[in-house]
Amino acid sequence: MQFRSRIVGIGSYLPRKRLHNNDLQEMVDTSDEWIIERTGIRERRIAGEREAASDLGYKASKRAIKDAGIRPEQIDTIIVATMSGDMPMPSTATLIQGRLGARNASAFDINAACSGFIFGLGVADSFIRSGMSRRLLLVGVEVNSRFIDWQDRTSCVLFGDGAGAVVMEATRSKAGIISTHLHSDGRHWNLIYVPGGGSRHPASEATVRDRMHFIKMRGNETFKLAVRTLEELAVKTLKANRIKASELSLLIPHQANLRIIKAIAKRLDLPMDKVIINLDKYGNTSSASIPIALDEAVRNGRIRKGDYILLMAFGSGLTWASALIRW
Ligand code: UT7
């Protein structure tokens, strides 16, 4: 039988500082009621002044490695999904590798924005299935707060910081990653983007003055596309694996907006007690949201051996992706 990849350890890390909707009311023209009603978010975590992506990612990785009961030297590949790495180079993955002492691993970043963790899962799964990797660390980490315009009420209420990590191994068992489905449509690149700081508009006094290093988002258009695309993707993923929505034990969606999540659950006729929600506590942590939610689900005993779990995400690019896992 061919190898499959399986999650054998999981961990997450959230920075200590909490920013409540009431705090945002003091900063921009918004209200706790509006944010809860339109998004479901109540508070989010913000990295400390000295904390960058690799610090959060390192802490989540240490927990995942401990959970897997392995040593860092046994890892052969480290993939970090992030759009808010410590610096343009080197990769955040190499920074985490160095601190872990995972000296036998190759390490690199991928960027698929909020879909980053599932894209990473797809890459990790192919590495393991092909025999290129036997034991891999996959991290989703974001310090979104550094890219937020705290004067823009349409985006600053949405995002938060955090990290989640999984250790994956080759297995011959029936459990593991059953399938991943990765999609992109670059025609919509300008629905969510950070215009400044790259080779198009390198940092200059003008880019700073024009607030080009912050996230720009056309929220409502993104929202409508997210609902439609994710509903279609959920149906397609189940169909590809010939399983019914009623056979799913859990849906773990990217935590962007409660209304988007409810629409997908409704389309699948899935009761909300089968859906993991933690955006009320953490907001949208982009590529970290799914591994954080998965970690909490495991810790809270929400996942049992043999369960079918559907992961889904949508984000800048545009990108969208799903993964079906048998635990
Ligand atoms: O993770 C990556 C993917 N990202 C997403 O999936 C985000 C998708 N988008 C969303 O979650 C929602 O579009 C938002 C939560 C961002 C906005 O909700 P919406 O229902 O789409 O509202 P809207 O943008 O249509 O704005 C409605 C009104 C506007 O006022 P007018 O023009 O009707 O007078 C906005 O100016 O709400 C206003 N508004 C706010 N009011 C109070 C926008 N932001 C705020 C705010 N507080 N923070």
Side-chain angles (χ1 to χ4, degrees):
M1 189 188 142
Q2 207 200 352
F3 282 120
R4 190 167 260 176
S5 70
R6 186 176 184 185
I7 294 172
V8 295
I10 179 157
S12 60
Y13 173 79
L14 278 309
R16 230 180 290 157
K17 186 179 168 193
R18 293 177 149 89
L19 186 70
H20 194 273
N21 290 348
N22 291 335
D23 303 318
L24 285 162
Q25 266 177 208
E26 310 292 314
M27 296 157 66
V28 287
D29 180 15
T30 191
S31 66
D32 184 35
E33 297 74 39
W34 190 94
I35 303 172
I36 291 176
E37 193 193 306
R38 307 307 268 181
T39 71
I41 300 166
R42 288 171 192 275
E43 60 177 25
R44 64 290 288 144
R45 300 295 181 91
I46 305 292
E49 249 171 63
R50 289 165 185 273
E51 273 183 321
S54 68
D55 302 311
L56 273 57
Y58 168 72
K59 287 181 179 156
S61 300
K62 285 279 275 190
R63 290 175 182 172
I65 289 168
K66 187 167 178 226
D67 188 46
I70 59 160
R71 284 174 290 111
E73 304 89 290
Q74 293 176 281
I75 296 166
D76 60 35
T77 311
I78 299 178
I79 303 175
V80 174
T82 189
M83 56 178 188
S84 53
D86 291 32
M87 1 179 170
M89 66 175 181
S91 68
T92 299
T94 53
L95 299 175
I96 293 175
Q97 181 214 13
R99 276 180 75 184
L100 288 172
R103 59 173 190 275
N104 298 312
S106 65
F108 59 94
D109 290 357
I110 61 163
N111 176 354
C114 296
S115 312
F117 183 79
I118 302 183
F119 270 66
L121 209 60
V123 174
D125 185 48
S126 335
F127 266 43
I128 290 175
R129 279 180 195 258
S130 70
M132 180 134 168
S133 168
R134 295 301 299 257
R135 190 173 286 118
L136 181 150
L137 173 70
L138 171 64
V139 186
V141 56
E142 305 291 356
V143 183
N144 285 324
S145 59
R146 302 277 149 74
F147 300 88
I148 286 169
D149 186 344
W150 295 105
Q151 295 176 13
D152 176 8
R153 70 171 182 172
T154 65
S155 60
C156 77
V157 301
L158 303 174
F159 296 97
D161 303 336
V166 293
V167 174
M168 295 171 68
E169 282 181 4
T171 176
R172 286 188 192 276
S173 84
K174 275 189 182 164
I177 312 301
I178 306 291
S179 70
T180 56
H181 308 261
L182 316 181
H183 301 275
S184 310
D185 187 347
R187 289 174 303 172
H188 299 298
W189 66 272
N190 59 356
L191 285 184
I192 319 176
Y193 68 118
V194 177
S199 56
R200 175 76 55 197
H201 299 291
S204 68
E205 280 180 38
T207 61
V208 173
R209 187 192 57 227
D210 295 341
R211 311 182 80 74
M212 289 171 70
H213 301 267
F214 296 130
I215 295 172
K216 316 283 174 201
M217 188 174 84
R218 279 152 49 194
N220 193 261
E221 285 167 70
T222 309
F223 181 93
K224 287 179 192 151
L225 271 170
V227 170
R228 205 179 61 221
T229 311
L230 288 174
E231 284 179 355
E232 278 169 18
L233 181 61
V235 172
K236 185 182 139 182
T237 308
L238 296 178
K239 211 170 161 193
N241 291 292
R242 295 200 183 93
I243 78 159
K244 295 194 209 78
S246 57
E247 292 175 73
L248 287 176
S249 298
L250 219 49
L251 170 66
I252 305 188
H254 169 51
Q255 306 283 310
N257 187 312
L258 186 57
R259 290 184 292 144
I260 299 177
I261 296 172
K262 281 186 171 166
I264 308 167
K266 194 169 169 211
R267 177 74 175 80
L268 294 179
D269 207 10
L270 209 62
M272 284 306 283
D273 62 5
K274 282 191 170 184
V275 184
I276 296 288
I277 307 282
N278 65 11
L279 51 69
D280 51 324
K281 296 186 290 183
Y282 309 133
N284 179 349
T285 57
S286 305
S287 59
S289 83
I290 287 180
I292 293 170
L294 183 62
D295 184 37
E296 288 193 348
V298 171
R299 308 265 154 258
N300 296 336
R302 304 264 320 252
I303 302 181
R304 282 180 304 268
K305 202 165 177 278
D307 279 356
Y308 278 118
I309 303 161
L310 179 61
L311 314 182
M312 302 195 72
F314 183 92
S316 166
L318 294 174
T319 55
W320 62 101
S322 64
L324 184 71
I325 299 180
R326 185 150 192 215
W327 202 256

